[in-house]
Amino acid sequence: MNRVYVCSCFGITEKQVKDHADAGACTPRQIASACKAGTDCGGCVRAIQAMLGRGACPRRELLDRKRMPGAADDTGTGAGTGPGTEPGIAPGMAPGIPLPDAA
């Protein structure tokens, strides 16, 4: 059996990386979470990136849609929904919640 190692620090093979990608890991960081590849010396990160390529990835597609103007909701207005998404409200700040007084 001929094994091609991608990460020699942890003994991770091409097949293992491909298996993790098939299971839903779309980025080198997600591969690292699954098997530690790329977390020691970092020499294999570019090889992992090349293996993953720019193929279909549900998570990546969601991120790309969020980055597109007007994609925050389905109305095309660009306005999100939920607390803190009203115009003039800072993200993460729900209206009607008082801030503590500064000391």
Side-chain angles (χ1 to χ4, degrees):
M1 176 188 274
N2 187 12
R3 293 185 180 165
V4 178
Y5 288 94
V6 175
C7 175
S8 56
C9 296
F10 293 105
I12 306 300
T13 64
E14 269 187 6
K15 182 184 180 325
Q16 288 172 298
V17 171
K18 288 177 183 177
D19 289 346
H20 289 299
D22 290 343
C26 300
T27 65
R29 184 172 289 180
Q30 291 170 345
I31 295 290
S33 293
C35 65
K36 292 188 176 181
T39 61
D40 194 22
C41 77
C44 59
V45 173
R46 290 194 186 267
I48 293 169
Q49 287 173 329
M51 289 177 67
L52 296 174
R54 291 292 296 172
C57 176
R59 292 183 187 127
R60 185 178 300 128
E61 290 168 5
L62 287 174
L63 285 174
D64 290 344
R65 280 200 307 228
K66 286 183 179 180
R67 290 180 186 151
M68 292 172 41
D73 66 356
D74 293 331
T75 64
T77 63
T81 59
T85 58
E86 293 85 1
I89 304 287
M93 300 298 296
I97 299 176
L99 296 175
D101 293 331

